């Protein structure tokens, strides 16, 4: 009885301390010139760019009224790293958990923050966030295990930056004139959306830096000259502190580090500046940089909560990653030969309208790469990278355990021949796979919802490098009800809210008319054939120009 009363009052206290934060956002175009080289239109919030850094406390409720004032583009907001446990429809992925927010429409995102650490928010509308709609989001932990070990905390975002807008760049990237799929090369690297970040520090004091890579493409390397850092958090998971002099941060990854400033200031520049080096172009990717910079290997991080490895998997999703040309000559990205193509009906709404058929992956179409997961099953994602590039993979709705990661060029994962899995694996929500290598991720399907698994390099995502996890579909049907506002958002964009991936409401197994990936190359043609063709066309044009000159 006494215990009951105590518990009740404890909950009462919690309820009192948790705040509701109302955000009224008008998403519009504004002009900005973060690298000092070129002013350009960017996507801002309430007339401002960079968008606001959000700093909340665990258990706060966020109610964000997101008005699309862009006029000429749809939008959406994904709260990267939030489990959205019980609120899958607030995840922010158009075509997956919601409809696009059309110009003039308002979407209300309303959910509680029951996690802590360093996150970010960004548009999940095709190609959009590198045009500026992305920023850090922090959730303070009232039980912070490192409280008292630092004096001040700061956010530092890292990003690549383009001068042209994404629709233009995407048009050029996914084109037959770019048959090898060379990614557009960024024009600059930004630290906290500027190239002139200076931060005054006091000697002897310890700082906690929340580092977030909010970029589209480049991996960033972060170090502070003459100082060591202690990693204490990775993607929202507190870790045992480990010392390092340099950290490698792929697109969408986050770290918190403690840095103690020196006592002896006589020889010290009181300004601390982090140096950014970005892996300048696709043709020269990270592997050589890796050995050169020798950053801390995140595989070795230990979650502070000591959560042990989940039992052996009940279900394994094996995905082979390739990049290749389709019949239009452009270079696409594939899991098992499938390039993600947005369905007519957002997948969550297909679950809700398909009744007993919801556990049949056929309902969700071929091109969403669907995998139906049973409630509470243990799932392994085995990814084999048959591509020569490095890719950072993000799973929505979970922090997964990284139980195996091969070296570069190790080929496919061999379940009968691998080093022992760690007892306490590192957990995070975004992890990079090495060129030609593989990794194995493990999680428990204890979060009913539709969760996208995709490469966080925006170019590859837009080239189709995504798969859909349909987790506990019957629990979704029982427990989730979509707010009326979300259906209004669908209405404004003219999107159907029931039916299978093809929009068929009568027969959920009839996928006639489903959006398909671009057709294959005609028989007899190879990608090389097309490349040769393009090159010879180019040569002809060059020839003509030379003659003219
Ligand atoms: C959004 O901002 C634009 C540009 O400042 C303004 O014209 C529009 O009225 C605003 N809309 C809302 C709903 O706040
Ligand atoms: C950064 O500072 C340099 C030197 O003061 C200046 O030339 C440059 O324009 C500044 N860049 C930005 C983006 O403010
Ligand atoms: C939308 O309008 C903005 C601001 O005028 C412009 O910079 C941008 O290129 C337009 N986007 C598209 C897709 O036309
Ligand atoms: C947000 O969700 C809570 C809990 O479901 C509800 O009580 C509240 O009315 C919602 N607020 C808005 C603005 O929809
Ligand atoms: C976030 O807010 C908390 C107070 O809730 C404050 O202690 C902390 O310094 C803030 N963090 C940053 C990076 O501004
Ligand atoms: C980085 O920028 C954000 C706002 O955009 C600001 O809140 C934060 O304090 C800045 N960090 C540093 C280290 O100046
Ligand atoms: C700086 O000085 C303080 C107090 O004298 C001492 O406790 C601390 O260990 C020193 N820190 C370093 C990095 O030398
Ligand atoms: C530190 O930075 C400030 C502001 O940019 C500058 O005025 C000052 O000269 C710098 N100090 C040193 C020692 O570089
Ligand atoms: C097992 O893996 C190791 C290291 O990757 C490799 O050297 C060895 O040849 C493999 N053995 C078999 C039987 O495949
Ligand atoms: C979701 O919530 C349920 C119970 O409310 C819990 O058992 C489960 O672990 C949670 N899953 C995640 C991913 O947070
Ligand atoms: C949107 O709502 C209007 C009015 O309720 C309705 O007539 C129309 O059919 C709806 N459109 C879609 C695509 O659902
Ligand atoms: Cu990728």
């Amino acid at each position: 009885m006494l215990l009951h009363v105590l518990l009740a009052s404890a909950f009462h206290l919690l309820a009192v301390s948790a705040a509701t934060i109302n955000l009224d956002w008008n998403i519009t175009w504004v002009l900005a010139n973060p690298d000092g080289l070129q002013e350009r239109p960017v996507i801002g919030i309430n007339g401002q760019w960079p968008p606001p850094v959000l700093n909340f406390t665990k258990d706060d409720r966020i109610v964000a009224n997101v008005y699309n004032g862009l006029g000429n583009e749809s939008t959406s907001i994904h709260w990267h790293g939030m489990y959205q446990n019980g609120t899958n429809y607030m995840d922010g992925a158009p075509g997956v958990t919601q409809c696009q927010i059309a110009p003039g429409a308002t979407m209300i995102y309303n959910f509680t923050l029951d996690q802590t650490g360093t996150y970010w928010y960004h548009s999940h509308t095709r190609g959009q966030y590198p045009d500026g709609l992305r920023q850090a989001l922090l959730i303070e932990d009232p039980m912070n295990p490192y409280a008292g070990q630092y004096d001040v905390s700061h956010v530092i975002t890292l990003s690549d930056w383009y001068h042209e807008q994404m629709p233009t760049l995407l048009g050029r990237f996914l084109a037959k004139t770019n048959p090898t799929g060379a990614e557009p090369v960024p024009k600059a690297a930004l630290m906290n959306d500027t190239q002139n970040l200076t931060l005054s520090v006091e000697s002897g004091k310890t700082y906690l830096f929340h580092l977030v890579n909010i970029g589209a493409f480049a991996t960033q390397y972060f170090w502070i000259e003459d100082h060591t850092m202690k990693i204490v958090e990775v993607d929202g998971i507190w870790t045992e502190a480990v010392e390092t002099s340099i950290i490698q941060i792929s697109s969408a990854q986050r770290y918190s580090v403690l840095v103690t400033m020196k006592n002896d200031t006589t020889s010290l520049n009181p300004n601390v500046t982090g140096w950014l080096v970005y892996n300048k172009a696709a043709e020269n990717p990270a592997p050589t940089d890796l050995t050169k910079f020798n950053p801390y290997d995140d595989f070795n991080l230990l979650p502070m909560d000591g959560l042990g490895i989940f039992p052996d998997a009940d279900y394994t999703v094996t995905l082979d990653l390739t990049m290749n040309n389709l019949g239009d000559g452009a270079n696409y990205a594939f899991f098992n030969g499938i390039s993600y193509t947005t369905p007519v009906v957002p997948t969550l709404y297909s679950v809700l309208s398909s009744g007993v058929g919801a556990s049949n992956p056929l309902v969700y179409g071929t091109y969403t790469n669907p995998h139906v997961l049973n409630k509470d099953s243990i799932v392994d994602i085995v990814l084999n990278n048959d591509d020569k590039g490095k890719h950072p993979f993000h799973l929505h709705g979970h922090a997964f355990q990284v139980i195996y990661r091969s070296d570069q060029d190790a080929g496919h994962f061999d379940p009968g021949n691998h080093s022992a899995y760690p007892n306490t694996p590192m957990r995070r929500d975004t992890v990079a796979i090495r060129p030609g290598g593989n990794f194995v991720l493990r999680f428990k399907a204890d979060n009913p919802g539709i969760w996208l698994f995709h490469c966080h390099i925006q170019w590859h995502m837009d080239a189709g490098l995504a798969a859909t996890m349909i987790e506990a579909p019957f629990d979704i049907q029982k427990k989730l009800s979509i707010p009326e506002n979300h259906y209004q958002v669908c209405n404004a964009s003219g999107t159907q809210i029931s039916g299978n991936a093809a929009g068929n409401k009568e027969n959920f197994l009839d996928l006639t008319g489903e959006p398909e990936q671009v057709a294959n190359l005609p028989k007899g043609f190879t990608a090389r054939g097309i490349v040769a063709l393009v090159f010879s066309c180019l040569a002809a044009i060059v020839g003509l120009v030379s003659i003219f000159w």
Side-chain angles (χ1 to χ4, degrees):
M1 187 62 194
L2 181 62
L3 183 69
H4 182 85
V5 171
L6 281 174
L7 273 178
S9 58
F11 280 126
H12 183 67
L13 278 178
L14 269 182
V16 168
S17 62
T20 295
I21 288 99
N22 291 291
L23 302 171
D24 270 306
W25 281 358
N26 183 354
I27 312 288
T28 59
W29 293 101
V30 292
L31 292 171
N33 185 5
D35 60 1
L37 297 174
Q38 185 176 308
E39 187 176 66
R40 51 154 291 182
V42 297
I43 300 177
I45 295 179
N46 297 340
Q48 289 195 322
W49 193 89
V53 170
L54 301 180
N55 182 5
F56 301 124
T57 304
K58 184 171 188 289
D59 295 323
D60 284 350
R61 172 176 291 281
I62 158 169
V63 179
N65 291 291
V66 178
Y67 171 76
N68 180 355
L70 291 173
N72 60 359
E73 288 183 17
S74 292
T75 195
S76 56
I77 304 284
H78 169 54
W79 314 87
H80 186 116
M82 298 289 99
Y83 302 151
Q84 299 289 6
N85 198 342
T87 50
N88 179 228
Y89 41 83
M90 299 299 181
D91 192 46
V96 184
T97 57
Q98 67 165 80
C99 300
Q100 294 281 5
I101 311 174
T106 300
M107 177 140 180
I108 305 170
Y109 292 98
N110 176 359
F111 55 95
T112 51
L113 303 159
D114 54 4
Q115 295 162 251
T116 65
T118 311
Y119 301 90
W120 60 306
Y121 63 91
H122 63 83
S123 166
H124 216 287
T125 294
R126 185 180 169 79
Q128 192 172 63
Y129 83 77
D131 277 340
L133 189 48
R134 77 282 182 283
Q135 187 53 287
L137 185 165
L138 307 179
I139 310 173
E140 290 286 321
D141 186 353
M143 313 283 277
N144 181 348
Y146 292 98
Q149 293 184 39
Y150 61 90
D151 302 285
V152 187
S153 64
H154 285 292
V155 169
I156 299 178
T157 63
L158 309 170
S159 173
D160 42 28
W161 189 247
Y162 292 89
H163 287 168
E164 288 172 288
Q165 293 178 32
M166 288 300 283
T168 309
L169 292 170
L170 265 177
R172 213 177 290 152
F173 171 64
L174 281 177
K176 71 172 177 218
T177 45
N178 183 27
T180 58
E183 297 83 358
V185 177
K187 290 287 191 264
L190 302 178
M191 192 176 247
N192 234 32
D193 285 327
T194 167
Q195 288 191 325
N196 288 6
L197 178 69
T198 52
L199 176 58
S200 307
V201 295
E202 282 177 57
S203 65
K205 282 201 168 170
T206 300
Y207 291 76
L208 179 100
F209 294 123
H210 299 279
L211 307 174
V212 192
N213 185 339
I214 60 174
F217 177 42
T219 295
Q220 308 277 2
Y221 295 86
F222 182 90
W223 75 95
I224 303 176
E225 263 187 26
D226 290 337
H227 293 71
T228 57
M229 305 180 265
K230 264 193 230 163
I231 300 175
V232 294
E233 182 227 312
V234 55
D235 294 358
I237 312 286
W238 292 115
T239 66
E240 302 290 344
V242 287
E243 235 172 64
T244 182
S245 54
I246 178 161
I247 306 180
Q248 175 187 349
I249 316 177
S250 302
S251 175
Q253 293 187 321
R254 292 92 59 206
Y255 286 90
S256 284
V257 295
L258 293 175
V259 183
T260 300
M261 300 307 155
K262 298 184 170 181
N263 282 344
D264 172 16
T265 57
T266 50
S267 65
L268 187 74
N269 181 338
N271 300 318
V272 57
T273 312
W275 273 259
L276 278 184
V277 173
Y278 80 74
N279 173 5
K280 221 182 163 202
E283 51 268 31
N284 185 19
T288 46
D289 291 338
L290 253 177
T291 44
K292 205 167 64 199
F293 287 126
N294 198 20
Y296 190 82
D297 184 350
D298 59 335
F299 188 79
N300 297 326
L301 290 169
L302 277 176
M304 213 173 197
D305 56 24
L307 184 68
I309 187 168
F310 289 125
D312 287 350
D314 304 304
Y315 183 76
T316 298
V317 176
T318 303
L319 302 170
D320 295 345
L321 186 175
T322 52
M323 300 186 95
N324 218 331
N325 300 86
L326 287 177
D328 61 359
N331 195 275
Y332 291 86
F334 307 84
F335 280 143
N336 303 339
I338 294 164
S339 180
Y340 182 91
T341 308
T342 308
V344 170
V345 175
T347 305
L348 174 61
Y349 301 158
S350 292
V351 169
L352 293 173
S353 55
S354 56
V356 292
S359 60
N360 188 343
L362 290 177
V363 166
Y364 310 107
T366 304
Y367 300 97
T368 59
N369 232 320
H371 295 271
V372 174
L373 311 177
N374 291 331
K375 177 81 169 62
D376 291 332
S377 56
I378 303 298
V379 181
D380 277 359
I381 296 179
V382 174
L383 186 63
N384 296 311
N385 182 6
D386 291 330
D387 177 60
K388 290 189 287 288
K390 195 179 74 173
H391 304 265
F393 278 94
H394 173 45
L395 176 63
H396 291 216
H398 291 275
F400 42 71
Q401 297 182 328
V402 183
I403 62 172
Y404 184 78
R405 180 166 55 189
S406 81
D407 290 339
Q408 183 174 339
D409 294 326
H412 284 207
F413 177 69
D414 178 354
N417 180 24
H418 60 79
S419 54
Y421 296 145
N423 292 325
T424 311
M426 183 252 306
R427 285 199 325 281
R428 62 185 314 167
D429 63 43
T430 308
V431 68
I433 194 164
R434 298 195 170 105
N438 62 69
F439 65 45
V440 184
L441 313 179
R442 182 169 288 181
F443 63 98
K444 186 174 180 188
D446 60 2
N447 188 10
I450 315 301
W451 309 114
L452 214 53
F453 176 71
H454 65 91
C455 177
H456 221 292
I457 289 179
Q458 189 67 44
W459 307 114
H460 302 166
M461 168 81 183
D462 291 327
L465 203 45
T468 313
M469 304 296 149
I470 294 132
E471 189 168 325
F474 297 124
D475 287 73
I476 295 176
Q477 291 179 349
K478 261 180 258 159
K479 288 178 192 153
L480 301 194
S481 60
I482 309 295
E484 190 49 39
N485 161 261
H486 290 207
Y487 289 134
Q488 289 161 6
V489 167
C490 296
N491 187 291
S493 66
T495 310
Q496 221 176 295
I497 54 172
S498 65
N500 66 10
N504 194 324
K505 292 185 241 188
E506 310 301 319
N507 177 359
F508 276 79
L509 297 181
D510 177 2
L511 288 158
T512 312
E514 78 168 311
E516 293 178 13
Q517 69 190 39
V518 170
N520 283 319
L521 286 165
K523 269 213 180 84
F525 278 78
T526 62
R528 270 164 201 272
I530 295 253
V531 174
L533 195 70
V534 171
F535 281 164
S536 54
C537 288
L538 280 179
I541 293 164
V542 171
L544 282 176
V545 172
S546 325
I547 291 164
F548 177 74
W549 276 354

